[in-house]
Amino acid sequence: KAVVSTQSTGTQYLGSLGQLDTRSIVLDMGCGEGTPALTMAKQFGCKVVGVDVVANNIASAKKFQAEESSRLNVHFHEANFFNLPAQIKYEMFTHVWAQVSFFHNHAHLRKCVDVAASMLKSGGTFILVDYYGPRHPVFTRDTTKKAPDMEEYIQTVKDAGFDIIIQEDASRHFLAGTTCLRKIAGEEKNQVEMNFYDGRISSIKEKLIGMVIIIAQKK
């Protein structure tokens, strides 16, 4: 519940930066178990299409959606965002959302951003938040290439045909959220999570990893 609460707070902040509203049609690239998609639909009244390649994530997202008391305009699909199904590919999105999902594909960052650009109508908004930093086994599966730094993220988004509206080093928020989760793990005496969050806190403080927020508009 604490993780969900932290995610929801971050989602509301990002949605405000990206100016989501009831007219927005959002593609959530790498939607995970659906918490951001459901949160933005509830908070901003927008339509959200979530895609994730992991079947269990989509099953959980649909389960959580079914448990909602209100009817939300959210649709979840099991799909690789490098090979989206036709019913998604040909919809005109006002926003593309990537909340801590591209780090699985750091070696293919430009390809990820190109997909985001291709799914947006002209003038549409790209909302990106992700980990940055040198090679780190917890946050990138490709150990042959270091994770992009903040400047590489910014330049890659520009090169893909976007104007940067907001760029923010969100590492202090990342540290604050992780510290909160570490405290809860300690109260619950969950040693596995305590060790995990201790490692993450250490990595953030040593500047081995950080977090970037980019809000960009398609030209």
Side-chain angles (χ1 to χ4, degrees):
K1 290 182 180 179
V3 174
V4 170
S5 177
T6 301
Q7 288 179 337
S8 297
T9 300
T11 298
Q12 292 172 22
Y13 176 64
L14 290 169
S16 297
L17 291 180
Q19 299 184 336
L20 292 181
D21 60 30
T22 55
R23 299 165 296 176
S24 302
I25 304 173
V26 185
L27 174 64
D28 185 354
M29 295 177 64
C31 64
E33 294 185 340
T35 300
L38 296 171
T39 299
M40 69 179 97
K42 285 188 288 187
Q43 183 74 16
F44 301 101
C46 53
K47 176 181 178 179
V48 186
V49 177
V51 296
D52 199 284
V53 73
V54 180
N56 286 344
N57 283 348
I58 294 300
S60 294
K62 290 180 176 179
K63 176 178 177 291
F64 295 145
Q65 182 179 12
E67 293 171 354
E68 293 291 337
S69 58
S70 59
R71 298 183 65 180
L72 301 175
N73 195 0
V74 181
H75 309 271
F76 293 110
H77 300 269
E78 181 187 345
N80 185 322
F81 48 69
F82 294 144
N83 186 26
L84 293 169
Q87 70 265 36
I88 298 174
K89 188 178 293 185
Y90 299 114
E91 182 153 10
M92 295 299 292
F93 292 95
T94 63
H95 293 73
V96 168
W97 182 283
Q99 184 175 355
V100 192
S101 56
F102 286 1
F103 78 96
H104 293 301
N105 293 284
H106 274 154
H108 308 289
L109 177 62
R110 176 58 191 269
K111 186 176 180 181
C112 293
V113 178
D114 282 342
V115 172
S118 72
M119 299 306 296
L120 279 170
K121 68 178 187 178
S122 180
T125 301
F126 179 35
I127 301 169
L128 169 67
V129 56
D130 218 320
Y131 304 119
Y132 73 80
R135 184 174 67 239
H136 194 283
V138 176
F139 295 102
T140 177
R141 295 173 181 172
D142 185 348
T143 57
T144 65
K145 181 182 184 297
K146 71 175 184 179
D149 60 19
M150 186 166 172
E151 289 306 314
E152 183 176 349
Y153 271 106
I154 292 167
Q155 191 60 52
T156 300
V157 172
K158 286 180 178 178
D159 291 345
F162 289 96
D163 288 323
I164 304 293
I165 307 301
I166 296 171
Q167 60 188 59
E168 178 182 339
D169 186 332
S171 299
R172 62 188 180 89
H173 302 302
F174 185 24
L175 178 59
T178 304
T179 301
C180 178
L181 295 174
R182 169 60 177 84
K183 180 180 178 182
I184 293 168
E187 291 170 351
E188 296 176 348
K189 297 185 178 1
N190 186 326
Q191 192 62 52
V192 173
E193 289 197 356
M194 288 165 61
N195 292 341
F196 173 78
Y197 290 126
D198 282 341
R200 179 181 282 189
I201 288 168
S202 176
S203 294
I204 298 169
K205 288 182 176 179
E206 293 173 22
K207 301 187 184 303
L208 293 175
I209 53 174
M211 184 165 282
V212 60
I213 292 173
I214 296 174
I215 309 295
Q217 186 175 53
K218 182 176 177 179
K219 295 179 181 178

